[in-house]
Amino acid sequence: MRIDIITVLPELLESFLNHSIVQRAQDKGLVTLNIHNLRDYSVTRHRTVDDYAYGGGAGMVLMIEPIVNCLEQLKETCEYQEVIYMSPDGDPLQQSTANELSLLTNIIILCGHYKGIDERLRQHFITREVSIGDYVLSGGELPAAVLSDAIIRLIPGVLSDESSALSDSFQDGLVAPPVYTRPADFRGMTVPSILLSGHQDQIEKWRFEQSLKRTKERRPESGSQM
Ligand code: SAH
């Protein structure tokens, strides 16, 4: 899978790219992440990418031209299935969004900044808008990192134990059961004895029941739609 991220702050994404699962996925050749500095696509000598909003008001707006330049150059190199704009008013990111996007081969993620991007981009060039929650951050870089991470860990072969992504919260419409590791007794706080019993069938049954219980408590509105 190839993910191209367009940003005015490439440095903000670098540490994300060079660590952990994302780095491993790239090393294994399972994903290619390209970061594009929007300023490289500016049409002015000063590498300007933003301007005042028509109609006045505080806050700058990312201009249409550098972004379209970048999109057009990228589209010459391959065909993209989605051009995603990270936006607080986009579709709320769900596990199902990540599942769906992880099946694609080439996507672009555009990070906004300041007041956002020129609306004409959203109307004519963006195919999908994704929000990571009903709050406003200063830029789309962290949201883009969140979305990329959620997608990349689902690509087969990225996690060392492939089944572990499948047993995460939301994959089956349920949140995950509690997990424990050694020691079995920490200052009198003990691990449920069933987990030490060695009876795998009963352990799976217990985990399923715990998942159901937690889902009812923590996500009562959810069920099978996740
Ligand atoms: N004026 C805009 C907010 C701009 S915030 C509004 O009120 O909707 C600047 C940029 O940060 C946005 O263009 C977007 O790319 C990103 N961003 C901020 N919060 C976000 C969120 N919750 N989800 C996804 N992207 C977000």
Side-chain angles (χ1 to χ4, degrees):
M1 179 176 199
R2 171 174 162 175
I3 303 178
D4 289 89
I5 304 181
I6 305 172
T7 169
V8 288
L9 278 179
E11 317 83 56
L12 211 56
L13 286 162
E14 259 149 36
S15 72
F16 162 71
L17 289 184
N18 299 327
H19 285 95
S20 166
I21 283 169
V22 180
Q23 174 72 62
R24 230 186 307 145
Q26 293 185 95
D27 292 346
K28 286 189 191 167
L30 297 169
V31 68
T32 309
L33 260 154
N34 303 314
I35 309 294
H36 306 277
N37 187 343
L38 187 57
R39 293 192 188 282
D40 295 341
Y41 299 87
S42 165
V43 289
T44 72
R45 223 158 27 98
H46 298 294
R47 292 160 57 84
T48 312
V49 291
D50 58 318
D51 208 337
Y52 295 101
Y54 274 123
M60 305 298 278
V61 177
L62 286 181
M63 301 159 85
I64 189 165
E65 210 172 354
I67 295 175
V68 170
N69 278 346
C70 182
L71 291 176
E72 285 179 347
Q73 286 192 33
L74 287 177
K75 285 176 184 174
E76 276 170 22
T77 65
C78 71
E79 209 168 296
Y80 292 93
Q81 289 104 353
E82 295 279 10
V83 180
I84 301 167
Y85 172 50
M86 302 311 300
S87 182
D89 62 2
D91 295 331
L93 174 58
Q94 303 275 335
Q95 190 60 37
S96 56
T97 324
N99 288 347
E100 200 188 310
L101 294 174
S102 75
L103 301 174
L104 304 182
T105 46
N106 303 313
I107 63 171
I108 292 174
I109 304 178
L110 173 62
C111 307
H113 228 84
Y114 316 113
K115 274 287 170 200
I117 60 173
D118 190 303
E119 185 65 21
R120 289 166 290 183
L121 285 158
R122 300 177 71 170
Q123 289 165 343
H124 301 288
F125 295 91
I126 299 298
T127 61
R128 189 164 185 156
E129 301 189 330
V130 177
S131 165
I132 63 160
D134 285 352
Y135 44 83
V136 177
L137 301 168
S138 343
E141 289 72 21
L142 295 176
V146 167
L147 177 62
S148 305
D149 190 295
I151 295 171
I152 291 169
R153 63 196 299 287
L154 294 171
I155 299 172
V158 169
L159 294 187
S160 38
D161 174 5
E162 267 188 48
S163 66
S164 96
L166 296 176
S167 62
D168 282 333
S169 288
F170 310 120
Q171 271 313 347
D172 52 4
L174 300 174
V175 304
V179 291
Y180 301 85
T181 185
R182 282 186 289 187
D185 185 336
F186 178 71
R187 300 181 185 168
M189 295 174 255
T190 54
V191 169
S193 54
I194 180 85
L195 295 176
L196 312 175
S197 69
H199 299 307
Q200 211 52 45
D201 291 356
Q202 287 176 35
I203 291 173
E204 291 314 322
K205 186 166 169 278
W206 180 87
R207 285 185 168 150
F208 182 64
E209 287 163 0
Q210 292 293 315
S211 276
L212 284 176
K213 183 166 166 278
R214 282 212 159 168
T215 307
K216 272 202 196 109
E217 286 164 5
R218 294 168 186 232
R219 292 290 184 278
E221 75 290 352
S222 90
S224 52
Q225 93 266 23
M226 274 189 285

